[in-house]
Structure formats: C-alpha cells, structure tokens
Amino acid sequence: MQLLKDRILKDGVVLKGNILKVDSFLNHQMDPGLMAAIGEEFARRFAGEPITKILTIEASGIAPALFAGYFLKVPVIFAKKTQSSNQDASTYAAPVHSYTRGTDNYIRVSSRYLSSDDHILIIDDFLAHGEALLGLSDLVRQAGATLAGAGIVIEKGFQDGGRRVRAKGIRVESLAIIQDMAEGRVEFAPK
C-alpha cells in the first residue's frame, strides 16, 4: 500500500534493536485518514471471505481493526492484556510474549464474543516475531471459530514471524513489508 509506505518513509523513525517508531501516525497519535485507507484496503483484500468479526489485541491494533470493521460491516473485538475485576468469568486466554516490552502476558477475550459460528479476521499493527498473531489465532481455535486470515499493517520481513505464521497455514496480508532497516533506513521488500 503505497500511501502507508510513503508515510513510513516520511515519518517513521528507526531505533536500535530493529524498532520502527511510527507513533506519530499509527500507534500513539493516529491519522484517521490513513486509518480509513488501511481499513478499506483490508476490506478489499478479504472481500471474498464470509467474515463475521474482527479480532485484534490492545492497544495499537484497535484503530486499523475498527476501520476494517467499518468497511466490512462487522463487529471488532480486542483481546485484553490484563485481567480486571469486571471481566467475564468465562474467557479464552493465550500467552503472548512481547519482545518490545520484554514481558509475558495472557491475552483474554470473553467467550460471549467468539463462537464456533464465527469467521474471524485478525488485524494487528505489526508482525515481527509472530507472538501476538499466534496468540490471537489460539483464541480463535479455542472458540472453535474459523480463521479467515490476518491483516497486518507493517510486517518486519527480516524477522521470523511471517514465516512462522504462514508455516501454520494462516493467510497473511501485509500492507507494508520491510526487508531491512540497516543504517537507520527503511527498505521495503519487492512486491
């Protein structure tokens, strides 16, 4: 998606440790126009699937998931990273390791919102090591739902997550795949 790639090149900042900082338009301050274009592109790419719900993980996946849900006309569910006193007693839960934060979390979704009748599209902001995506797909499996695939805003193609996820037979549609971030520059994978 050229609009996204242009924005990454213009406003993205490469930090040490292969971290791409896109907080000025994607995951801290958000550009609604760009989010709408991202949601519309995911809806176009998954138009042939009978999607009933979109699943994402808090917090950075919510905006692109919400816009994809808007264009697909389906509800959006986000997996919570922390357990709270007002959370339903019956939940699906899966462990997820965050390499960015260096922490392990259990993500949770109420069993009221996922069922075996659902055809789920997962949306997330980044795919690097694949932990979040595999955790979300485990929630779908626990519910007995069907996984249509995953829409990823930015994939770090030089890390192993995309390979790991695709090896499990999950369809992945990434809007921008980064091949390299050497010397502080972003290089996209060829189409």
Side-chain angles (χ1 to χ4, degrees):
M1 180 179 178
Q2 195 60 48
L3 179 65
L4 173 63
K5 290 177 181 178
D6 291 346
R7 192 64 181 270
I8 291 167
L9 292 174
K10 179 179 176 264
D11 295 326
V13 178
V14 177
L15 303 176
K16 69 178 186 175
N18 287 323
I19 295 171
L20 177 62
K21 190 172 179 165
V22 290
D23 65 345
S24 68
F25 61 92
L26 180 63
N27 56 17
H28 191 55
Q29 173 175 275
M30 290 168 269
D31 178 333
L34 179 61
M35 291 301 109
I38 286 169
E40 189 170 25
E41 180 63 15
F42 284 138
R44 186 189 69 75
R45 290 188 185 200
F46 288 95
E49 296 286 341
I51 295 164
T52 59
K53 292 180 182 164
I54 292 175
L55 177 63
T56 190
I57 191 167
E58 68 177 351
S60 298
I62 294 174
L66 190 60
F67 278 98
Y70 174 80
F71 285 103
L72 288 167
K73 298 176 179 31
V74 298
V76 176
I77 305 161
F78 68 88
K80 296 184 177 190
K81 293 180 183 176
T82 56
Q83 193 165 9
S84 62
S85 61
N86 66 349
Q87 201 166 37
D88 290 345
S90 177
T91 62
Y92 301 115
V96 171
H97 178 76
S98 169
Y99 286 90
T100 306
R101 290 187 171 82
T103 59
D104 292 314
N105 297 300
Y106 267 85
I107 58 171
R108 293 174 175 77
V109 168
S110 171
S111 60
R112 292 187 305 144
Y113 301 124
L114 286 178
S115 78
S116 59
D117 295 332
D118 284 317
H119 204 82
I120 304 294
L121 172 60
I122 293 172
I123 300 284
D124 205 4
D125 62 338
F126 273 94
L127 172 57
H129 296 284
E131 295 293 320
L133 185 47
L134 292 173
L136 290 167
S137 68
D138 188 32
L139 299 179
V140 173
R141 180 197 58 77
Q142 289 175 46
T146 301
L147 180 57
I152 302 298
V153 179
I154 301 170
E155 179 179 342
K156 292 179 178 178
F158 56 89
Q159 293 181 322
D160 67 339
R163 181 193 53 76
R164 288 178 63 209
V165 170
R166 289 178 179 95
K168 293 193 175 287
I170 298 172
R171 175 184 172 192
V172 178
E173 292 284 338
S174 298
L175 302 185
I177 301 175
I178 297 173
Q179 179 175 291
D180 192 20
M181 292 194 310
E183 299 177 23
R185 290 186 315 238
V186 171
E187 181 182 327
F188 295 104
K191 288 185 178 185

